[in-house]
Amino acid sequence: MSVGEVSGIAPSAEVRRMRLPFDDYGIGARDMAKLSHAAEVLTERCMLGKHLGWATLPPYPVQDANHRRRYGVIEEEVARRIGYHMADDPVVVENNRREALRNKGLSASQSAAAHGPDGNSGCVKEAWIRIGRYNDSSDKAFVWRLSGESLEFAKNHADVKPLLRRWSLCMNSRGFRYDDPWASAGDARWWKSGRSTRDEIAAAVADVQCKKETGLVSALARVETAFQKDMLEKHGERFAVIKDHYRRWMDDVESIAATASDG
């Protein structure tokens, strides 16, 4: 299968449980779908102001599993079908296809108004600027930094390091020499051709099986959860501000979406 090919594999029960405290402070797939629809509504409003039509795409439901690859591939079905490549949400892929088809059918005047003469301005750009006004980059950087510290803490924790060694020995017994799952998932050989190879799929399947045999994923999640809860308590005021920014952002997005025309 090629990179990005639709797999249609629904997140497993383990993936659905794989949420960590910091996940409540980042933008998930469902949030992105809301932002996208609000941008469509604002673009339509802008285009109508120029007396031009705009085929607004409807909102689309998605499975919110941004954490699906938190510890590399952890679902055996995904490993067997597409190796280390991403299992794209078919709904998102279909929405992207419709968007490309809609844009391809725009007249010259519609295209210029929507995307600007340079292809990077116009109503669409203005809509996303308006949508992003609550998106504080310092908030994102703060959570991103602590998320990185969280993973490093977990990888070096006394409860996890022995499991990483056992995982490596397990992989070695199956013919794959890697120190940790991030090295196996990032192996350049898997990405050169742009296609999932037989060797890659074999490695990914072994990876999942060794994670299950060692209990590595649950240990990582347990240690990270404890670390993140400590950080939430330590930086409570900052996280409260981030949550308030997020709430006001989503309220604004939902108010925009509520003004959508009936078509």
Side-chain angles (χ1 to χ4, degrees):
M1 287 189 177
S2 61
V3 174
E5 184 171 343
V6 181
S7 69
I9 304 172
S12 66
E14 183 179 24
V15 160
R16 290 193 295 272
R17 291 194 302 268
M18 200 54 59
R19 286 190 63 81
L20 299 184
F22 285 177
D23 289 340
D24 292 334
Y25 297 87
I27 299 299
R30 287 196 180 108
D31 296 323
M32 282 306 303
K34 291 179 181 178
L35 296 175
S36 178
H37 180 57
E40 283 283 315
V41 172
L42 289 175
T43 299
E44 178 188 39
R45 190 184 303 171
C46 175
M47 294 290 281
L48 289 174
K50 299 176 185 295
H51 306 290
L52 293 167
W54 181 255
T56 303
L57 298 177
Y60 57 94
V62 294
Q63 304 247 21
D64 204 344
N66 281 14
H67 46 285
R68 190 168 195 167
R69 303 300 285 267
R70 170 164 281 133
Y71 304 121
V73 62
I74 66 174
E75 300 159 284
E76 193 155 341
E77 185 181 1
V78 171
R80 289 189 185 282
R81 288 176 60 180
I82 53 178
Y84 286 108
H85 290 94
M86 284 298 295
D88 292 336
D89 188 324
V91 176
V92 176
V93 173
E94 174 60 16
N95 186 77
N96 292 341
R97 186 193 69 79
R98 290 180 180 181
E99 181 179 359
L101 190 62
R102 186 266 314 280
N103 292 344
K104 186 177 180 180
L106 295 175
S107 67
S109 57
Q110 285 176 313
S111 183
H115 303 290
D118 58 355
N120 190 35
S121 55
C123 289
V124 173
K125 182 68 173 288
E126 291 172 15
W128 278 104
I129 290 174
R130 167 68 176 79
I131 291 296
R133 69 178 184 174
Y134 289 114
N135 186 15
D136 191 327
S137 60
S138 64
D139 288 348
K140 188 185 302 180
F142 177 74
V143 176
W144 183 262
R145 176 176 63 80
L146 287 182
S147 295
E149 291 178 10
S150 174
L151 180 57
E152 286 304 310
F153 177 83
K155 288 163 68 173
N156 290 287
H157 193 274
D159 290 346
V160 173
K161 289 187 76 172
L163 300 183
L164 282 170
R165 287 193 293 271
R166 286 173 56 192
W167 176 92
S168 182
L169 289 172
C170 178
M171 289 291 282
N172 185 62
S173 71
R174 289 164 164 77
F176 303 102
R177 295 181 179 274
Y178 296 107
D179 292 330
D180 59 52
W182 295 274
S184 61
D187 192 324
R189 289 178 297 169
W190 313 144
W191 309 104
K192 281 183 179 179
S193 68
R195 299 185 66 83
S196 300
T197 64
R198 183 178 301 174
D199 288 344
E200 174 198 343
I201 289 173
V205 170
D207 187 346
V208 174
Q209 292 173 345
C210 288
K211 282 170 179 165
K212 289 180 178 178
E213 288 181 21
T214 59
L216 176 60
V217 170
S218 58
L220 282 165
R222 183 174 65 252
V223 174
E224 277 211 88
T225 294
F227 177 90
Q228 292 185 14
K229 285 182 176 179
D230 286 344
M231 291 299 103
L232 286 170
E233 184 174 346
K234 180 179 179 181
H235 302 284
E237 290 185 7
R238 180 66 189 276
F239 276 105
V241 169
I242 293 172
K243 182 157 283 189
D244 182 62
H245 285 171
Y246 172 82
R247 178 189 57 77
R248 287 190 284 126
W249 190 7
M250 288 302 111
D251 285 349
D252 185 46
V253 165
E254 289 174 8
S255 68
I256 291 169
T259 67
S261 69
D262 294 330

